Amino acid sequence: MSVSTDLLVRGVARGIHVAASLAILGTTAGYRLFAQAGLQRDKSSAARNAQNAIVKFLRASFAVVVIAGLIWLLCEAIYASGSNQIASGFGAILPLLRDTNFGHLLIIRMILMAGAVLVFGHGQSNRRVLLAGSFAAIAVALQAGLGHGAAMGGSEGHLLLATLILHLLAAGLWLGGLVSLLIVVKVATPEAAFRAATRFSRLGITCVIAIAVTAVIQGWYLVGSISALTSTAYGLVAAGKLVLFVSLIAIAATNRWQTLRLPTPSGQHAKEFLYKSIAIETAVGLAVVVLAGILMELPPAMDIAKIGMAGQP
């Protein structure tokens, strides 16, 4: 039930790569969905600085996508080479990119995310922002092609693939948009922060429901039983992810209550509390995505159970 160091490194690199991909989706799509609501009526230098900060974060996210993606690629190449030697991994990178589904999807996703960042620019054109969000959404959806469902095939595999696509898109819009919301709440007046946070809250509720439903479906097929949550590495990581997800819901509920206080006389205090709470939610969300990356590198608990049953006399 132990997890090897190389698998852990692959999973963490994958998780960070995916987290940065979700941030690109949340930033580009969220700019229209909620961020502009807190900034568009504000002509102050603070609002302009916030817009610049969002653009800088978007570009930084792409840098993380590239760096973490290259580390993930090298780790997968080392694994594919059957050796623990980094030199062997470098030699396997080109065949991995050229001949595997992993390599093809990684290249396509990198191109789409680069396109999203370039097209977004400084967020001044609504059409370009919409196109950038579309590029990012396709890139995030394609990540599902490297999941367990895509490898399974059949009706169950197709169901898992579809639910993972929805799961990733919902996570991108919710968790990926947290930093943009954080930037807006920091500089905006309580009234402007209320507009942005209210829109984000409505979006978040829809995303949480989608994530919860798709997670149940994924867990049903990939974990298989309650006992597998404590008897397999896959189950333990899935249980840890579940605990953090419940924590995220609790934090989000607190944030929603603080949002309702923004238009009141205690709005400034609520805004300060909300800023700190969103920062915590962002950190917990990152931990959830990293655990998801490790989870995707582990064999599903259901497969382990089937192997065990096949080995019985």
Side-chain angles (χ1 to χ4, degrees), residues 74-313:
L74 177 59
C75 291
E76 292 290 347
I78 293 173
Y79 178 74
S81 69
S83 169
N84 291 326
Q85 302 298 319
I86 294 180
S88 300
F90 279 116
I93 285 178
L94 183 58
L96 194 65
L97 289 173
R98 184 187 59 214
D99 302 328
T100 68
N101 184 55
F102 168 81
H104 299 161
L105 287 178
L106 184 63
I107 293 172
I108 294 171
R109 291 179 63 254
M110 290 282 200
I111 293 172
L112 284 168
M113 285 183 282
V117 174
L118 289 173
V119 169
F120 184 87
H122 286 83
Q124 297 172 334
S125 167
N126 286 336
R127 288 185 179 180
R128 292 183 64 172
V129 169
L130 180 60
L131 183 59
S134 300
F135 283 166
I138 295 171
V140 167
L142 286 176
Q143 177 65 32
L146 301 174
H148 295 303
M152 288 173 59
S155 58
E156 290 184 0
H158 293 154
L159 175 62
L160 290 175
L161 178 62
T163 54
L164 183 55
I165 290 173
L166 181 58
H167 191 88
L168 287 167
L169 291 175
L173 292 174
W174 175 30
L175 300 179
L178 283 171
V179 173
S180 290
L181 180 63
L182 189 72
I183 293 170
V184 173
V185 169
K186 181 178 181 179
V187 305
T189 63
E191 293 74 18
F194 173 75
R195 292 194 298 270
T198 298
R199 288 194 177 191
F200 182 84
S201 181
R202 292 169 182 166
L203 174 66
I205 291 173
T206 303
C207 291
V208 167
I209 293 172
I211 290 171
V213 171
T214 53
V216 168
I217 296 172
Q218 293 274 324
W220 177 267
Y221 284 101
L222 298 177
V223 177
S225 66
I226 299 297
S227 62
L229 288 173
T230 57
S231 61
T232 65
Y234 187 94
L236 286 171
V237 175
K241 184 184 173 189
L242 176 61
V243 170
L244 290 180
F245 178 68
V246 173
S247 301
L248 278 174
I249 294 176
I251 297 171
T254 302
N255 291 349
R256 182 170 175 78
W257 178 65
Q258 292 296 332
T259 297
L260 296 175
R261 296 178 58 217
L262 288 172
T264 69
S266 59
Q268 184 61 36
H269 180 268
K271 193 184 88 140
E272 293 171 359
F273 185 95
L274 183 62
Y275 176 80
K276 296 176 183 177
S277 186
I278 294 171
I280 295 172
E281 186 179 4
T282 302
V284 176
L286 175 61
V288 169
V289 179
V290 170
L291 282 182
I294 297 172
L295 203 63
M296 296 303 292
E297 293 291 333
L298 289 167
M302 179 64 80
D303 288 352
I304 296 173
K306 290 178 180 178
I307 293 172
M309 291 175 63
Q312 293 178 356

